PDB file of all heavy atoms in Angstrom:
ATOM      1  N   PRO A 322     149.902 209.257  67.369  1.00 96.00           N
ATOM      2  CA  PRO A 322     148.493 209.536  67.076  1.00 96.00           C
ATOM      3  C   PRO A 322     148.288 210.388  65.815  1.00 96.00           C
ATOM      4  O   PRO A 322     147.340 210.156  65.068  1.00 96.00           O
ATOM      5  CB  PRO A 322     148.007 210.291  68.314  1.00 96.00           C
ATOM      6  CG  PRO A 322     148.945 209.905  69.402  1.00 96.00           C
ATOM      7  CD  PRO A 322     150.261 209.641  68.757  1.00 96.00           C
ATOM      8  N   THR A 323     149.186 211.325  65.561  1.00 96.00           N
ATOM      9  CA  THR A 323     149.004 212.161  64.365  1.00 96.00           C
ATOM     10  C   THR A 323     149.023 211.304  63.104  1.00 96.00           C
ATOM     11  O   THR A 323     148.176 211.457  62.221  1.00 96.00           O
ATOM     12  CB  THR A 323     150.105 213.239  64.272  1.00 96.00           C
ATOM     13  OG1 THR A 323     150.179 213.929  65.515  1.00 96.00           O
ATOM     14  CG2 THR A 323     149.818 214.219  63.152  1.00 96.00           C
ATOM     15  N   GLU A 324     149.977 210.390  63.024  1.00 95.00           N
ATOM     16  CA  GLU A 324     150.056 209.511  61.862  1.00 95.00           C
ATOM     17  C   GLU A 324     148.802 208.639  61.760  1.00 95.00           C
ATOM     18  O   GLU A 324     148.309 208.377  60.662  1.00 95.00           O
ATOM     19  CB  GLU A 324     151.300 208.620  61.925  1.00 95.00           C
ATOM     20  CG  GLU A 324     152.585 209.328  61.543  1.00 95.00           C
ATOM     21  CD  GLU A 324     153.251 210.082  62.699  1.00 95.00           C
ATOM     22  OE1 GLU A 324     152.560 210.362  63.715  1.00 95.00           O
ATOM     23  OE2 GLU A 324     154.446 210.394  62.602  1.00 95.00           O
ATOM     24  N   ARG A 325     148.269 208.208  62.905  1.00 96.00           N
ATOM     25  CA  ARG A 325     147.051 207.395  62.896  1.00 96.00           C
ATOM     26  C   ARG A 325     145.894 208.208  62.297  1.00 96.00           C
ATOM     27  O   ARG A 325     145.079 207.702  61.534  1.00 96.00           O
ATOM     28  CB  ARG A 325     146.659 206.938  64.314  1.00 96.00           C
ATOM     29  CG  ARG A 325     147.760 206.206  65.097  1.00 96.00           C
ATOM     30  CD  ARG A 325     147.954 204.791  64.617  1.00 96.00           C
ATOM     31  NE  ARG A 325     148.744 204.671  63.403  1.00 96.00           N
ATOM     32  CZ  ARG A 325     150.075 204.808  63.324  1.00 96.00           C
ATOM     33  NH1 ARG A 325     150.786 205.056  64.390  1.00 96.00           N
ATOM     34  NH2 ARG A 325     150.695 204.681  62.176  1.00 96.00           N
ATOM     35  N   ILE A 326     145.845 209.507  62.646  1.00 97.00           N
ATOM     36  CA  ILE A 326     144.772 210.361  62.141  1.00 97.00           C
ATOM     37  C   ILE A 326     144.931 210.558  60.630  1.00 97.00           C
ATOM     38  O   ILE A 326     143.968 210.478  59.870  1.00 97.00           O
ATOM     39  CB  ILE A 326     144.769 211.715  62.889  1.00 97.00           C
ATOM     40  CG1 ILE A 326     144.447 211.494  64.372  1.00 97.00           C
ATOM     41  CG2 ILE A 326     143.770 212.684  62.263  1.00 97.00           C
ATOM     42  CD1 ILE A 326     144.695 212.695  65.268  1.00 97.00           C
ATOM     43  N   VAL A 327     146.171 210.798  60.198  1.00 96.00           N
ATOM     44  CA  VAL A 327     146.421 211.000  58.766  1.00 96.00           C
ATOM     45  C   VAL A 327     146.016 209.749  57.977  1.00 96.00           C
ATOM     46  O   VAL A 327     145.392 209.840  56.915  1.00 96.00           O
ATOM     47  CB  VAL A 327     147.904 211.371  58.518  1.00 96.00           C
ATOM     48  CG1 VAL A 327     148.226 211.339  57.034  1.00 96.00           C
ATOM     49  CG2 VAL A 327     148.213 212.746  59.092  1.00 96.00           C
ATOM     50  N   GLU A 328     146.305 208.579  58.520  1.00 96.00           N
ATOM     51  CA  GLU A 328     145.917 207.332  57.828  1.00 96.00           C
ATOM     52  C   GLU A 328     144.394 207.233  57.677  1.00 96.00           C
ATOM     53  O   GLU A 328     143.888 206.794  56.650  1.00 96.00           O
ATOM     54  CB  GLU A 328     146.371 206.118  58.640  1.00 96.00           C
ATOM     55  CG  GLU A 328     147.836 205.776  58.505  1.00 96.00           C
ATOM     56  CD  GLU A 328     148.280 204.711  59.521  1.00 96.00           C
ATOM     57  OE1 GLU A 328     147.442 204.262  60.347  1.00 96.00           O
ATOM     58  OE2 GLU A 328     149.459 204.361  59.502  1.00 96.00           O
ATOM     59  N   MET A 329     143.688 207.642  58.727  1.00 97.00           N
ATOM     60  CA  MET A 329     142.222 207.555  58.653  1.00 97.00           C
ATOM     61  C   MET A 329     141.673 208.539  57.627  1.00 97.00           C
ATOM     62  O   MET A 329     140.721 208.244  56.907  1.00 97.00           O
ATOM     63  CB  MET A 329     141.618 207.824  60.028  1.00 97.00           C
ATOM     64  CG  MET A 329     141.978 206.749  61.053  1.00 97.00           C
ATOM     65  SD  MET A 329     140.928 206.776  62.506  1.00 97.00           S
ATOM     66  CE  MET A 329     141.435 208.271  63.296  1.00 97.00           C
ATOM     67  N   ARG A 330     142.285 209.718  57.554  1.00 96.00           N
ATOM     68  CA  ARG A 330     141.836 210.699  56.561  1.00 96.00           C
ATOM     69  C   ARG A 330     142.103 210.202  55.147  1.00 96.00           C
ATOM     70  O   ARG A 330     141.281 210.383  54.256  1.00 96.00           O
ATOM     71  CB  ARG A 330     142.587 212.003  56.769  1.00 96.00           C
ATOM     72  CG  ARG A 330     142.236 212.727  58.019  1.00 96.00           C
ATOM     73  CD  ARG A 330     143.023 213.992  57.966  1.00 96.00           C
ATOM     74  NE  ARG A 330     142.802 214.844  59.101  1.00 96.00           N
ATOM     75  CZ  ARG A 330     143.198 216.119  59.131  1.00 96.00           C
ATOM     76  NH1 ARG A 330     143.811 216.634  58.099  1.00 96.00           N
ATOM     77  NH2 ARG A 330     142.969 216.853  60.186  1.00 96.00           N
ATOM     78  N   ASP A 331     143.276 209.595  54.957  1.00 95.00           N
ATOM     79  CA  ASP A 331     143.586 209.055  53.636  1.00 95.00           C
ATOM     80  C   ASP A 331     142.568 207.975  53.250  1.00 95.00           C
ATOM     81  O   ASP A 331     142.165 207.862  52.093  1.00 95.00           O
ATOM     82  CB  ASP A 331     145.009 208.472  53.601  1.00 95.00           C
ATOM     83  CG  ASP A 331     146.078 209.570  53.551  1.00 95.00           C
ATOM     84  OD1 ASP A 331     145.703 210.750  53.623  1.00 95.00           O
ATOM     85  OD2 ASP A 331     147.274 209.242  53.434  1.00 95.00           O
ATOM     86  N   GLU A 332     142.164 207.206  54.251  1.00 96.00           N
ATOM     87  CA  GLU A 332     141.160 206.166  54.018  1.00 96.00           C
ATOM     88  C   GLU A 332     139.842 206.806  53.580  1.00 96.00           C
ATOM     89  O   GLU A 332     139.175 206.332  52.661  1.00 96.00           O
ATOM     90  CB  GLU A 332     140.965 205.344  55.299  1.00 96.00           C
ATOM     91  CG  GLU A 332     140.142 204.083  55.155  1.00 96.00           C
ATOM     92  CD  GLU A 332     140.805 203.013  54.275  1.00 96.00           C
ATOM     93  OE1 GLU A 332     142.048 203.006  54.175  1.00 96.00           O
ATOM     94  OE2 GLU A 332     140.059 202.205  53.697  1.00 96.00           O
ATOM     95  N   ALA A 333     139.477 207.900  54.231  1.00 95.00           N
ATOM     96  CA  ALA A 333     138.243 208.602  53.868  1.00 95.00           C
ATOM     97  C   ALA A 333     138.354 209.157  52.446  1.00 95.00           C
ATOM     98  O   ALA A 333     137.407 209.085  51.657  1.00 95.00           O
ATOM     99  CB  ALA A 333     137.963 209.724  54.864  1.00 95.00           C
ATOM    100  N   PHE A 334     139.515 209.719  52.138  1.00 93.00           N
ATOM    101  CA  PHE A 334     139.735 210.264  50.792  1.00 93.00           C
ATOM    102  C   PHE A 334     139.522 209.179  49.747  1.00 93.00           C
ATOM    103  O   PHE A 334     138.855 209.355  48.737  1.00 93.00           O
ATOM    104  CB  PHE A 334     141.165 210.811  50.709  1.00 93.00           C
ATOM    105  CG  PHE A 334     141.428 211.649  49.494  1.00 93.00           C
ATOM    106  CD1 PHE A 334     141.385 213.031  49.560  1.00 93.00           C
ATOM    107  CD2 PHE A 334     141.734 211.063  48.276  1.00 93.00           C
ATOM    108  CE1 PHE A 334     141.630 213.812  48.439  1.00 93.00           C
ATOM    109  CE2 PHE A 334     141.972 211.835  47.146  1.00 93.00           C
ATOM    110  CZ  PHE A 334     141.928 213.216  47.231  1.00 93.00           C
ATOM    111  N   LYS A 335     140.079 208.017  50.044  1.00 93.00           N
ATOM    112  CA  LYS A 335     140.002 206.881  49.141  1.00 93.00           C
ATOM    113  C   LYS A 335     138.555 206.430  48.912  1.00 93.00           C
ATOM    114  O   LYS A 335     138.154 206.121  47.807  1.00 93.00           O
ATOM    115  CB  LYS A 335     140.778 205.729  49.800  1.00 93.00           C
ATOM    116  CG  LYS A 335     141.333 204.716  48.872  1.00 93.00           C
ATOM    117  CD  LYS A 335     141.927 203.544  49.638  1.00 93.00           C
ATOM    118  CE  LYS A 335     143.228 203.853  50.347  1.00 93.00           C
ATOM    119  NZ  LYS A 335     143.779 202.663  51.036  1.00 93.00           N
ATOM    120  N   ARG A 336     137.771 206.427  50.002  1.00 94.00           N
ATOM    121  CA  ARG A 336     136.408 205.906  49.903  1.00 94.00           C
ATOM    122  C   ARG A 336     135.385 206.982  49.584  1.00 94.00           C
ATOM    123  O   ARG A 336     134.197 206.693  49.481  1.00 94.00           O
ATOM    124  CB  ARG A 336     136.024 205.250  51.240  1.00 94.00           C
ATOM    125  CG  ARG A 336     136.749 203.950  51.467  1.00 94.00           C
ATOM    126  CD  ARG A 336     136.550 203.498  52.889  1.00 94.00           C
ATOM    127  NE  ARG A 336     137.290 202.267  53.131  1.00 94.00           N
ATOM    128  CZ  ARG A 336     136.753 201.053  53.073  1.00 94.00           C
ATOM    129  NH1 ARG A 336     135.475 200.905  52.780  1.00 94.00           N
ATOM    130  NH2 ARG A 336     137.481 199.996  53.308  1.00 94.00           N
TER     131      ARG A 336
END
Side-chain angles (χ1 to χ4, degrees):
Chain A
T323 309
E324 282 85 341
R325 306 284 80 75
I326 296 168
V327 170
E328 281 170 359
M329 294 197 290
R330 291 183 179 193
D331 285 4
E332 190 66 26
F334 192 98
K335 206 187 288 182
R336 288 169 182 263

